[in-house]
Amino acid sequence: MWALLSTYSWQELRHHPWRSGAAVVAVMLGVALALAVQLINASALAEFGSAVSAVNGQPDLELRARRGALDERWLDRVAAHPQVRVASPVLEWQAQAANAQGQQLGVRLVGVDALSVGALAPALMPRNADTADRLDLFAPDAVWLNPAAAQALGAGPLRLQSGLRWQAVRVAGHVAAPGGPLVVMDIAALQDLSERLGELSRIDVRLAPGAQAERVLADLALPETVLAQRPEAAGERVSQLSRAYRVNLTVLALVALFTGAFLVFSVLSLSVARRQPQFALLGVLGLAARERLRLVLAESAALGLIGSALGVALGTGLAALALKLLGGDLGGGYFVGVAPPLRWSTSAAVLYGALGVAAALAGGWWPARAAAGLAPAQALKGLGTSQAPSARRQALAPVLMALALLLALAPPVADIPLAAYASVALLLVGGIVALPVAMGWVLDRLAPRVQQRVLPLLAVERSRRQRHTAAVATSGVVASLALSVALTVMVASFRESVTQWLDAVLPAPLYVRSTGNTQDNQHLPPAFVDAVRALPGVAQADALRALPLQLDAARAPVTLLVRPLRADNGNLALPLVGPLVAVPDGAVPVYVSEAMVDLYGAKPGQSLPTLAQAWGHAANFVVAGVWRDYARQQGSIAMDRADFVRLSGDTRVSDLALHLRPGTDEDTVRGALQSLANQQGAQGLLEIASAGEIRAISLRIFDRSFAVTVWLQAVAIGIGLFGVAASFSAQVLARQREFGLLAHLGLTRAQVLRLVALEGLAWTTLGALAGLALGLAVSVVLVHVVNPQSFHWTMDLVLPWTRLAALCAAVVLAGTATAWLSGRAAASRDAVQAVKQDW
């Protein structure tokens, strides 16, 4: 029996390749995109982790300062402990390197002790060239390059940056460290180059066999300002920091698969409706309702299996191509410069392949239920063809909507908005379940307005009486358009909020900093700062700094922003969220980003003891306000520069914000700054940018980060329109007799085509309106729930009506054209032969 039924199902799929192919393509694209995103991110993470492991080595512990550098005096104390086998000092630094040809490259400088680094990090052990002297290991001008740096800079003499000066060095050999460009030199030489005498980035510790880390740390009695952590913690922090971006990108990729489920539902629903006489005959011959249900589910599973297999192959190819052309960064900025090889994951392929099959089965469930609930005797008499949804199914829509609202209010799970994602899915499903009722309500009110025109009357009346079929046919378009509308609103809201934020945090017209300054590793010389302030046309030069601060070993460092916080008018120069609160006398006011509130519980009016611990100062730091910071997902703290200098005594400057006198030409000041840098031998080491240029660069990075969402929206819309094409093709082929009758009644071929186009216009217009309404509801969840729970910042809802109207109009036009093209074949059939089939 099942062999015959399997043959029957296979013949059904084979003889209607257009409809089954649409569902297969939808599943294939969904699986391919999701798997490609997973493989790219997994490959990038693995490559980053391998590079960190190779460079950091395999110590038992790493000792780091929570703020700034680690005092070198700790090295002797740690090395003298009887249960410490090796203590290796390391100093890390970001700088520019220039070869003899003048080519500049951002590199990572690592200072090591050649006598101890080999035991803990063999990849950093300098290996001299044949022409080098063995004492070059301790020479102040000798450096060793890893493969990436050697390929980019060559083996000739180099110059290394320190602030606004160049230091000549020579290449003495190489190191085996993988990853981005890296330059190794003696730690004492790097301390001198960077003007950080007595400072370390970390101490790598290898314990004696059998030693317990907890006991060693207790004996050392480290202060709160020193952090002891596992060597793999850095890779884990980057993985945790990028997790929200990776999860959201994967969910966006699954949009195509979600849309594909509705397309499978549409294709199989129409297929079941068309095959009702066949299912009725099979029922009379003894095929039970459960077996009919299994038969349709088997067809949907076959579609899912074929689509998943093709999707796994396509996704693997897309991932390999993306890694080759774009590297491991998909726009989030977490893996810039990482170019990993593809790392195949069987478990990921099986998971997303299973999701493809599950999506197809979910899409085929209701059509299978319809086939199972068929009354064979009535269907054979032509009495069982009603497709109207049951009252229970209609009542399901408000239940799903209410459940979606409750889930939107739920908190995240492990910083991932799982409940919010489920809320979005339920909103879409509930909206599509309610689609027949909503379409009927609109068409009932439209029908009286078209009674005087024949073709619009025929189109509206047929749509009214086939409202369930219309809802089924347009469900894919509704789902894809709703998600596209939601993503459009979310991206527009985010971009507008970022634009307003940039206006608030860039009050000065010009900004100056040392080239390659990241993580507070390059400072402007005091003499240069004084000379800039004395330039004609410069009214004020605000000193700025951004320092990493490790408040929690399990999280990425937060950023301490040091700047003058009061503008000339006395207002706080920060984009605040909520009101300011007064701080007690003697307390130091600080202003935290929204991420600090979510991650560390730093609420206005509360003290920040973790900041005092990391700072190593007994000051009472009190949160005076919360502000938006779209640049630092891990959290940031803003402090007035006067308070910072008073508490730390550190007057170093990383950036300058220049306020110009009225009437001063900006280009003139630029030229004066460049001349000043050239006078101090800092050619190529000074970055000068206007607020407008920084804003343009930031928005360009933003657009690049969200470029992938545009492609995913296009794929989702394409899948939805593909479903409309398949549905209309099935409809017009089944209506050949109807078209023949209309031809006998005097309608021309052009009028029949116009009728089909009007039906397509009615269906896709109603689908577009439903998709727009659902999309706006979903966008509220994305903007106010998913985004804050994922990235810990809020935004204002912005509705780009022009773009949304263009999107809906494009879908309506494409759907109407699809219906017209689908009707051409049926309308061209001989009218007499079409009607004769019914005699």
Side-chain angles (χ1 to χ4, degrees):
M1 170 66 77
W2 271 103
L4 291 175
L5 293 177
S6 299
T7 303
Y8 167 73
S9 295
W10 174 251
Q11 292 298 326
E12 170 65 21
L13 297 176
R14 193 169 69 108
H15 284 101
H16 298 89
W18 174 250
R19 296 195 297 274
S20 57
V24 168
V25 169
V27 174
M28 177 188 71
L29 290 176
V31 171
L33 291 172
L35 179 62
V37 169
Q38 172 66 27
L39 292 178
I40 291 169
N41 283 314
S43 299
L45 271 175
E47 185 73 8
F48 179 84
S50 298
V52 169
S53 178
V55 173
N56 289 4
Q58 295 299 323
D60 296 315
L61 291 173
E62 290 180 357
L63 302 183
R64 294 179 179 267
R66 291 184 182 270
R67 181 183 69 89
L70 184 65
D71 194 324
E72 190 179 45
R73 288 175 294 183
W74 280 102
L75 178 62
D76 294 336
R77 182 171 177 179
V78 172
H81 193 283
Q83 291 185 310
V84 172
R85 185 175 178 181
V86 181
S88 177
V90 179
L91 178 61
E92 297 177 323
W93 192 254
Q94 296 288 334
Q96 293 289 307
N99 58 17
Q101 291 74 35
Q103 177 186 1
Q104 292 190 27
L105 178 71
V107 299
R108 179 181 174 190
L109 296 178
V110 180
V112 300
D113 180 4
L115 299 180
S116 62
V117 69
L120 294 176
L124 293 180
M125 182 65 195
R127 291 171 171 79
N128 286 337
D130 296 337
T131 57
D133 188 275
R134 63 179 181 175
L135 294 181
D136 281 344
L137 293 174
F138 310 103
D141 63 341
V143 298
W144 294 262
L145 309 183
N146 78 333
Q151 182 179 3
L153 297 171
L158 301 177
R159 291 179 299 159
L160 296 178
Q161 174 196 13
S162 176
L164 290 183
R165 65 183 177 90
W166 289 106
Q167 176 69 43
V169 295
R170 57 189 174 86
V171 179
H174 68 280
V175 293
L182 184 144
V183 177
V184 173
M185 62 191 308
D186 179 67
I187 190 168
L190 184 55
Q191 286 176 328
D192 181 64
L193 174 69
S194 60
E195 299 180 351
R196 290 200 169 190
L197 298 179
E199 295 183 356
L200 303 174
S201 297
R202 71 176 192 267
I203 300 175
D204 294 338
V205 179
R206 172 72 57 80
L207 300 178
Q212 296 182 0
E214 294 79 6
R215 180 169 298 180
V216 173
L217 293 175
D219 293 342
L220 292 174
L222 299 174
E224 292 180 335
T225 56
V226 177
L227 178 69
Q229 64 183 25
R230 297 173 291 107
E232 62 271 18
E236 292 176 356
R237 285 197 293 265
V238 171
S239 175
Q240 183 186 55
L241 187 62
S242 65
R243 181 176 58 184
Y245 181 79
R246 291 182 282 116
V247 169
N248 278 277
L249 200 58
T250 301
V251 171
L252 287 178
L254 289 173
V255 164
L257 190 58
F258 188 81
T259 307
F262 286 103
L263 187 50
V264 172
F265 163 69
S266 175
V267 168
L268 288 181
S269 293
L270 295 174
S271 176
V272 168
R274 185 182 56 81
R275 291 186 289 162
Q276 278 192 356
Q278 301 173 26
F279 282 121
L281 180 59
L282 290 174
V284 172
L285 295 177
L287 191 67
R290 180 174 296 181
E291 292 173 324
R292 294 197 298 272
L293 183 142
R294 291 168 58 189
L295 177 64
V296 177
L297 287 180
E299 292 178 6
S300 62
L303 295 175
L305 283 171
I306 298 171
S308 295
L310 295 175
V312 168
L314 178 61
T316 303
L318 288 175
L321 182 63
L323 290 172
K324 182 178 180 180
L325 298 179
L326 306 175
D329 186 37
L330 281 176
Y334 302 102
F335 307 106
V336 176
V338 177
L342 177 66
R343 304 205 180 199
W344 168 256
S345 173
T346 303
S347 59
V350 171
L351 172 63
Y352 288 106
L355 282 177
V357 176
L361 287 173
W365 175 250
W366 267 334
R369 289 287 303 273
L374 185 70
Q378 292 184 356
L380 285 176
K381 296 177 181 179
L383 302 176
T385 59
S386 176
Q387 292 182 331
S390 64
R392 179 183 300 179
R393 182 170 161 189
Q394 293 181 12
L396 183 61
V399 174
L400 293 175
M401 295 289 189
L403 185 57
L405 177 61
L406 292 176
L407 288 174
L409 302 176
V413 178
D415 289 337
I416 298 177
L418 296 179
Y421 293 139
S423 173
V424 169
L426 290 179
L427 274 175
L428 292 172
V429 174
I432 290 175
V433 170
L435 196 56
V437 176
M439 294 179 86
W441 185 87
V442 174
L443 290 170
D444 288 343
R445 280 148 186 80
L446 182 62
R449 301 178 182 273
V450 296
Q451 288 184 351
Q452 303 303 320
R453 306 187 64 180
V454 175
L455 293 182
L457 176 62
L458 289 174
V460 170
E461 285 299 328
R462 189 177 187 282
S463 299
R464 285 180 65 197
R465 303 182 188 285
Q466 298 290 328
R467 65 187 66 176
H468 178 66
T469 301
V472 168
T474 57
S475 59
V477 167
V478 172
S480 59
L481 180 59
L483 290 168
S484 296
V485 166
L487 292 177
T488 300
V489 172
M490 188 269 290
V491 173
S493 301
F494 200 0
R495 198 179 195 279
E496 179 63 25
S497 297
V498 169
T499 301
Q500 295 177 3
W501 172 76
L502 288 170
D503 292 337
V505 298
L506 297 173
L510 271 182
Y511 290 84
V512 180
R513 71 170 186 173
S514 177
T515 301
N517 178 38
T518 59
Q519 296 294 307
D520 194 47
N521 53 24
Q522 299 289 348
H523 301 114
L524 299 174
F528 178 82
V529 174
D530 293 338
V532 169
R533 286 175 171 154
L535 286 176
V538 175
Q540 180 180 334
D542 293 335
L544 313 176
R545 285 185 70 182
L547 302 85
L549 199 63
Q550 192 74 58
L551 298 184
D552 186 347
R555 299 186 182 276
V558 305
T559 302
L560 179 63
L561 298 174
V562 179
R563 58 187 298 183
L565 292 181
R566 292 291 175 181
D568 293 337
N569 57 8
N571 295 328
L572 195 68
L574 289 173
L576 292 174
V577 179
L580 294 173
V581 299
V583 301
D585 293 338
V588 179
V590 294
Y591 306 87
V592 299
S593 67
E594 294 172 299
M596 291 293 298
V597 178
D598 289 345
L599 298 176
Y600 296 91
K603 298 180 180 179
Q606 293 184 353
S607 296
L608 271 183
T610 54
L611 177 57
Q613 294 169 2
W615 187 285
H617 200 286
N620 179 24
F621 298 98
V622 177
V623 178
V626 180
W627 63 291
R628 283 180 177 169
D629 185 3
Y630 292 126
R632 286 159 281 266
Q633 177 189 336
Q634 72 275 15
S636 58
I637 303 172
M639 178 186 297
D640 190 77
R641 176 171 171 80
D643 291 331
F644 176 83
V645 172
R646 176 173 55 84
L647 295 174
S648 66
D650 187 351
T651 60
R652 290 179 292 183
V653 177
S654 298
D655 300 65
L656 287 174
L658 305 184
H659 299 267
L660 306 183
R661 299 184 187 278
T664 302
D665 182 61
E666 186 178 296
D667 292 335
T668 301
V669 177
R670 282 175 178 264
L673 288 169
Q674 199 60 60
S675 298
L676 185 61
N678 294 340
Q679 291 172 10
Q680 300 191 9
Q683 294 87 346
L685 292 180
L686 191 68
E687 292 184 2
I688 307 171
S690 67
E693 291 170 340
I694 298 174
R695 185 183 296 106
I697 293 172
S698 300
L699 292 178
R700 187 160 57 247
I701 294 173
F702 176 92
D703 293 336
R704 184 189 64 194
S705 300
F706 284 93
V708 66
T709 64
V710 176
W711 292 102
L712 293 174
Q713 289 180 63
V715 169
I717 289 291
I719 291 174
L721 292 176
F722 203 29
V724 169
S727 300
F728 267 103
S729 296
Q731 286 288 307
V732 296
L733 289 176
R735 295 168 60 191
Q736 291 175 10
R737 302 173 189 174
E738 176 188 339
F739 293 147
L741 178 60
L742 292 175
H744 276 284
L745 293 176
L747 268 67
T748 65
R749 179 175 180 271
Q751 289 176 317
V752 171
L753 287 176
R754 200 185 316 163
L755 173 63
V756 174
L758 286 173
E759 291 181 7
L761 176 63
W763 291 16
T764 52
T765 299
L766 293 174
L769 292 175
L772 177 62
L774 280 177
L776 293 177
V778 171
S779 67
V780 173
V781 178
L782 292 181
V783 169
H784 294 303
V785 181
V786 172
N787 192 74
Q789 290 185 1
S790 296
F791 302 105
H792 310 292
W793 53 51
T794 61
M795 64 181 75
D796 298 322
L797 184 67
V798 174
L799 299 179
W801 288 113
T802 302
R803 204 178 313 166
L804 295 178
L807 185 62
C808 294
V811 169
V812 171
L813 290 175
T816 305
T818 298
W820 183 83
L821 291 174
S822 301
R824 290 187 63 184
S828 63
R829 297 284 296 254
D830 183 68
V832 175
Q833 293 298 325
V835 178
K836 193 174 182 180
Q837 295 175 8
D838 203 30
W839 290 354

